[in-house]
């Protein structure tokens, strides 16, 4: 089991590492679903921890449909992520009709090179997730899809996640389940869906609130469940 923790500060990244997490998703703007963090924050986190650090590439929270200027911004941000030695990037692009924007994706992926790539929860905005999955599978650079199965809370999408996991068996891509997982519900969820990667935001924060710091005890307890 791979356990990914959202970090918004250097201290949170250190807490995630010290308590057994496997990977960090580094973002800013957690209340907006995650935006691209600053150059300085990326640099400091990468230098502070040995864990893989995957950096959100999302220039704004208006939508997942991006203009040419947005794509140029994302390209520059990916280049900075590579220069600073982060492990990977977290990105996603949609067209206005809520299908995968292949043209934009094909501008971003070459810049990512050999970075680890996660297609983020833009996937949860599409109307047909199976069709979207088939499109994403055409790009072997993409290592995983972060998804809540199209629901606000992933625990309401057990059957959908189970199906997506089944569709990616023996494929070079994993389903990273997130949004709504907590210490209390993660055991049953993993058992029912068969996911091998899980993602935590507010579920490992103090008082379960997104704008509170990461709680080391919650991280430690989740890691203990899957050792």
């Amino acid at each position: 089991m791979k356990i990914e923790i959202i970090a918004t500060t250097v201290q949170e990244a250190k807490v995630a590492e010290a308590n057994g997490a496997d990977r960090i998703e580094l973002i800013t703007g957690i209340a907006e679903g995650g935006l691209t963090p600053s150059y300085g924050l990326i640099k400091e986190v990468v230098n502070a921890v040995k864990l893989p650090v995957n950096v959100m590439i999302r220039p704004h929270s208006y939508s997942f449909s991006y203009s040419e200027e947005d794509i140029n911004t994302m390209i520059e941000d990916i280049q900075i992520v590579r220069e600073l030695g982060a492990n990977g990037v977290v990105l996603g692009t949609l067209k206005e009709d809520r299908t995968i924007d292949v043209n934009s994706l094909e501008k971003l992926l070459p810049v990512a090179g050999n970075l680890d790539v996660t297609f983020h929860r833009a996937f949860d905005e599409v109307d047909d997730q199976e069709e979207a999955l088939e499109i994403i599978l055409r790009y072997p650079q993409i290592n995983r899809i972060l998804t809540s199965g199209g629901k606000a809370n992933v625990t309401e999408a057990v059957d959908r996640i189970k199906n997506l996991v089944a569709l990616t068996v023996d494929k070079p891509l994993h389903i990273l389940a997130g949004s709504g997982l907590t210490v209390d519900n993660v055991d049953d969820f993993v058992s029912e869906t068969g996911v091998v990667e899980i993602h935590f935001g507010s579920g490992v924060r103090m008082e379960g609130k997104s704008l509170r710091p990461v709680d080391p005890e919650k991280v430690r307890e989740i890691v203990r469940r899957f050792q």
Side-chain angles (χ1 to χ4, degrees), residues 46-156:
V46 168
N47 290 337
V49 299
K50 293 184 174 61
L51 284 185
V53 177
N54 286 3
V55 180
M56 176 65 75
I57 304 296
R58 187 179 176 216
H60 59 71
S61 58
Y62 300 132
S63 73
F64 297 114
S65 179
Y66 299 114
S67 67
E68 182 179 352
E69 292 83 1
D70 291 332
I71 295 298
N72 289 338
T73 299
M74 295 166 80
I75 286 170
E76 290 190 43
D77 285 337
I78 293 169
Q79 290 170 337
I80 288 171
V81 168
R82 292 184 65 179
E83 291 169 8
L84 294 177
N87 178 69
V89 290
V90 182
L91 52 80
T93 58
L94 300 182
K95 294 190 289 188
E96 295 289 347
D97 64 359
R98 300 200 301 181
T99 58
I100 304 295
D101 184 346
V102 169
N103 289 335
S104 292
L105 198 59
E106 290 180 353
K107 293 176 182 177
L108 299 175
L109 290 177
V111 185
N114 61 356
L115 290 176
D116 188 61
V117 179
T118 300
F119 194 100
H120 61 44
R121 289 188 61 207
F123 186 78
D124 291 319
E125 300 288 326
V126 305
D127 292 321
D128 187 334
Q129 289 197 327
E130 289 190 19
E131 179 182 63
L133 174 62
E134 288 301 316
I135 292 171
I136 291 170
L137 281 169
R138 296 175 195 164
Y139 301 93
Q141 260 183 289
I142 301 175
N143 303 103
R144 71 191 57 80
I145 298 171
L146 170 60
T147 178
S148 63
K151 301 291 186 181
N153 190 313
V154 72
T155 61
E156 299 171 2

